[in-house]
Amino acid sequence: MRRTAPVGGTTPWEPRVERRTHGWRIHLGGAPVDLGGIGKGLAVRWAAAALARAGQGFLLDAGGDLAVRGPAPHGGPWRVAVEDPAGGGPLLVLALDGGGCATSSTRRRRWVCGGQAVHHLVDPRTRQPGGTGLAAVTVVAADTAWAEVWSKTLFLAGADGVRERAAELGLAAAWVREDGGVGTTAALDDHLIWRRTDG
């Protein structure tokens, strides 16, 4: 059974929420909206806030979006691996003792449309898959939801603009180009404890 109910005002760009058998769907201007990454970042933020009240250290991982608080079981910071989007294990290992981390990648959600390879990270300016030349971007921030937002922002800057945009925003970030090259910002150095060296 499906039921559509307006939420808010009556202009065409007001959101509508549709209840479905296995969840909910949000529409904006008649088009469905996928809050996947942003929704996941918010869910991790809220879950981390609830866990923080328990007074224990924790790592909460929701498939690429994570939050950490306090020491890891070994007593030091949590060690977080940043995977190679082409497979083959981690590219980087980060040390985190608080805050959040998020990765936006084309590794899993890609398909062929009209004979062209496309992915889910769509640039709202062009309405086409963005991030030319990039395969993944990871951002460390004080809050997981913002790390998610910034990882997508940097991804859409593409391989030619990601370094400049990350520096402009002062972000602790890493990115993987489609050719396999890895870049990082100076702001990530405080968290970086291992980097794969090929060859």
Side-chain angles (χ1 to χ4, degrees):
M1 176 178 162
R2 297 194 318 186
R3 178 172 54 112
T4 302
V7 174
T10 59
T11 64
W13 288 100
E14 287 295 323
R16 280 190 353 251
V17 178
E18 178 182 278
R19 184 176 182 164
R20 302 178 67 103
T21 305
H22 298 290
W24 299 81
R25 180 172 287 173
I26 298 174
H27 293 263
L28 188 62
V33 176
D34 177 3
L35 297 177
I38 303 300
K40 188 167 52 167
L42 286 171
V44 171
R45 172 198 282 174
W46 297 329
L51 287 171
R53 291 191 290 271
Q56 300 292 320
F58 65 85
L59 183 147
L60 175 63
D61 184 2
D65 291 9
L66 60 88
V68 299
R69 298 287 185 277
H74 62 76
W78 295 90
R79 294 180 186 137
V80 176
V82 177
E83 74 175 356
D84 183 345
L91 290 171
L92 309 169
V93 176
L94 307 176
L96 305 177
D97 56 11
C101 181
T103 297
S104 291
S105 169
T106 62
R107 180 176 182 187
R108 298 184 190 272
R109 295 181 67 189
R110 48 187 315 121
W111 59 96
V112 175
C113 181
Q116 182 178 358
V118 296
H119 58 75
H120 72 293
L121 296 167
V122 175
D123 189 328
R125 298 166 295 192
T126 64
R127 299 182 183 182
Q128 300 294 319
T132 303
L134 287 177
V137 173
T138 298
V139 172
V140 174
D143 174 66
T144 307
W146 277 108
E148 174 68 41
V149 169
W150 294 130
S151 70
K152 286 180 174 34
T153 300
L154 295 185
F155 190 92
L156 294 179
D160 291 339
V162 64
R163 182 179 298 280
E164 181 180 350
R165 186 73 172 128
E168 176 185 297
L169 294 168
L171 298 174
W175 54 91
V176 183
R177 294 186 304 271
E178 288 178 344
D179 66 9
V182 178
T184 60
T185 61
L188 191 71
D189 289 348
D190 289 341
H191 303 287
L192 187 58
I193 59 173
W194 180 84
R195 181 178 192 140
R196 185 171 82 193
T197 54
D198 294 321

